[in-house]
């Protein structure tokens, strides 16, 4: 991608560095990862992770994140240990996260962890000298999702600068939109937040944008006014984050994107979604060339290969 050319990348800056929050990395770090992801996509190298063992510890369900991490490692000659369900681990016997991390770090070169508690990945990263990658901690952050989102945006738009992004749905509990906002704020983005009152973007993120002097709007209406979008980033209303089931029932069908709604949107516009979707994108959108969410999930393999290779100092 032309945008990534003519930049000098020093991958050593990321060696042994945990990735817990997207703010652990600088703008230059993001671009280094994207350049390496492009290299891996164009020229796969089956031996880069030879003799490396990656532990995937998933205390919360996942399809894309876990399997794309595992695919990323296996396709490059590495090995995987771990669990996809903590009920198959000694957590069920009362073992603490502290002890689990202490033990697993003896068995691997890198830990990828998803946990329902915000801050769990930071806690784990402070316990061990083995680098930790946060694969999602509660409603807090999902930094590897953000890096694959950046890669998807760059591949489809040819630039990361001066874009207009509509974030739609659960902006309160959605860790993917929180991380994406922090990253895209480095690229002079204009944000439009579309959500019901109950699921508005938390104040701290709007404060962050205010401090940077970036523009954003908030609206409840999603049927009009998307003509300026370069990216529409749909999100699921996450049942598992609600303590009040009535609030979930009230908001779960707040927005459903239908193919007809894409009439009049910009030629370059793409619909992204971290997935899984429930019913917030109608299946009639899938065949529209502006639907990009399945390729976005594929991009996760290259980007996660790039993240692991950088952290392990292999590239
Ligand atoms: N996007 C994402 O985090 O999907 P999974 O929950 O399936 O990993």
């Amino acid at each position: 991608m032309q945008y990534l050319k003519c930049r000098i990348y020093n991958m050593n800056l990321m060696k042994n560095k945990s990735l817990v929050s997207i703010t652990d990395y600088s703008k230059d770090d993001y671009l280094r990862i994207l350049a390496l992801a492009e290299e891996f996509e164009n020229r796969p190298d089956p031996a880069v992770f030879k003799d490396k063992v990656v532990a995937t510890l998933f205390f919360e369900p996942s399809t894309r994140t876990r399997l794309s991490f595992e695919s990323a490692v296996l396709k490059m000659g590495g090995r995987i240990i771990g669990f996809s369900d903590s009920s198959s681990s000694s957590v069920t016997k009362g073992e603490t996260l502290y002890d689990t991390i202490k033990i697993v770090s003896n068995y691997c070169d890198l830990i990828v962890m998803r946990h329902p508690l915000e801050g769990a990945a930071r806690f784990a990263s402070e316990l061990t000298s083995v680098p930790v990658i946060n694969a999602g901690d509660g409603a807090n952050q999902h930094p590897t999702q953000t890096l694959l989102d950046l890669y998807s945006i760059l591949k489809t738009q040819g630039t990361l600068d001066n874009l207009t992004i509509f974030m739609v749905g659960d902006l309160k509990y959605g860790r993917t939109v929180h991380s994406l906002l922090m990253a895209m704020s480095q690229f002079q983005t204009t944000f439009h937040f579309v959500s019901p009152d109950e699921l508005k973007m938390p104040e701290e993120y709007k404060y962050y944008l205010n401090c940077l002097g970036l523009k954003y709007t908030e609206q409840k209406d999603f049927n009009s006014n998307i003509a300026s979008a370069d990216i529409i980033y749909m999100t699921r209303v996450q049942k598992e984050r609600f303590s009040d089931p009535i609030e979930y029932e009230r908001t779960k069908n707040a927005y459903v994107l239908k193919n007809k709604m894409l009439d009049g949107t910009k030629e370059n516009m793409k619909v992204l979604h971290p997935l899984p979707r429930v019913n917030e994108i109608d299946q009639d959108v899938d065949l529209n060339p502006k639907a990009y969410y399945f390729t976005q999930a594929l991009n996760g393999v290259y980007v996660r290969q790039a993240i692991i290779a950088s952290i392990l100092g292999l590239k």
Side-chain angles (χ1 to χ4, degrees):
M1 285 173 274
Q2 195 56 36
Y3 186 88
L4 296 169
K5 303 254 182 311
C6 309
R7 297 173 194 264
I8 296 166
Y9 300 111
N10 180 357
M11 304 308 287
N12 275 333
L13 294 174
M14 293 168 190
K15 191 172 173 184
N16 284 327
K17 210 169 153 185
S18 288
L19 174 55
V20 174
S21 163
I22 196 66
T23 54
D24 291 341
Y25 280 9
S26 66
K27 178 177 172 179
D28 278 354
D29 294 335
Y30 304 157
L31 298 178
R32 286 182 195 103
I33 294 289
L34 303 194
L36 189 54
E38 185 187 30
E39 184 184 321
F40 287 152
E41 180 175 1
N42 293 335
R43 289 182 298 283
D45 184 338
V48 175
F49 297 157
K50 188 170 176 298
D51 298 330
K52 297 297 178 191
V53 176
V54 172
T56 54
L57 309 184
F58 277 69
F59 295 85
E60 203 184 52
S62 168
T63 297
R64 274 145 297 276
T65 309
R66 185 176 66 82
L67 293 179
S68 65
F69 262 114
E70 296 189 356
S71 171
V73 171
L74 294 170
K75 280 174 180 243
M76 286 194 151
R79 282 170 288 170
I80 291 286
I81 59 170
F83 50 79
S84 57
D85 179 351
S86 61
S87 68
S88 67
S89 78
S90 287
V91 170
T92 52
K93 301 174 198 161
E95 185 162 60
T96 60
L97 180 60
Y98 179 97
D99 284 3
T100 303
I101 296 298
K102 285 280 185 201
I103 297 302
V104 174
S105 57
N106 291 328
Y107 303 153
C108 66
D109 300 290
L110 183 142
I111 294 173
V112 176
M113 187 176 94
R114 172 171 288 188
H115 200 283
L117 287 182
E118 296 181 24
R122 180 70 67 201
F123 176 70
S125 73
E126 289 170 357
L127 292 177
T128 170
S129 57
V130 172
V132 173
I133 296 178
N134 181 6
D137 61 330
N140 187 31
Q141 289 259 333
H142 195 350
T144 67
Q145 176 70 44
T146 297
L147 288 163
L148 79 88
D149 292 342
L150 294 188
Y151 190 65
S152 301
I153 293 170
L154 181 56
K155 272 176 79 175
T156 59
Q157 306 300 314
T159 182
L160 291 170
D161 297 320
N162 302 304
L163 297 173
T164 296
I165 300 187
F166 282 65
M167 293 180 164
V168 183
D170 179 359
L171 308 186
K172 179 179 178 183
Y173 299 112
R175 57 195 175 199
T176 61
V177 285
H178 300 160
S179 295
L180 184 60
L181 176 151
M182 303 290 274
M184 284 305 292
S185 66
Q186 305 292 308
F187 299 94
Q188 304 85 47
T189 306
T190 299
F191 295 96
H192 296 283
F193 302 135
V194 184
S195 71
D197 281 339
E198 297 90 332
L199 298 176
K200 283 172 79 171
M201 183 62 77
E203 289 302 320
E204 63 263 33
Y205 294 101
K206 291 183 278 184
Y207 177 77
Y208 183 79
L209 296 181
N210 285 334
C211 291
L212 294 174
L214 292 176
K215 286 187 228 142
Y216 65 85
T217 65
E218 292 185 284
Q219 62 195 65
K220 281 192 266 189
D221 179 22
F222 180 45
N223 289 318
S224 58
N225 204 23
I226 53 174
S228 64
D230 297 302
I231 296 291
I232 297 177
Y233 196 93
M234 297 297 297
T235 64
R236 174 176 67 97
V237 176
Q238 301 171 92
K239 188 177 184 180
E240 65 273 26
R241 306 274 175 241
F242 284 78
S243 50
D244 178 356
I246 295 169
E247 189 172 305
Y248 171 70
E249 288 300 323
R250 202 168 43 231
T251 55
K252 70 178 183 185
N253 292 322
Y255 305 111
V256 180
L257 180 66
K258 295 181 188 301
N259 195 35
K260 189 83 189 118
M261 293 163 67
L262 300 181
D263 291 353
T265 54
K266 289 166 75 171
E267 278 302 304
N268 63 297
M269 195 283 286
K270 291 286 182 262
V271 179
L272 302 187
H273 190 314
L275 305 177
R277 73 173 151 185
V278 181
N279 57 359
E280 60 278 3
I281 300 179
D282 203 290
Q283 279 198 347
D284 72 359
V285 178
D286 293 0
L287 293 179
N288 191 313
K290 293 178 177 175
Y292 193 73
Y293 28 90
F294 294 125
T295 310
Q296 178 189 0
L298 168 64
N299 289 337
V301 174
Y302 315 124
V303 170
R304 289 175 170 128
Q305 284 172 334
I307 295 167
I308 295 169
S310 308
I311 291 177
L312 293 181
L314 301 171
K315 277 282 180 175

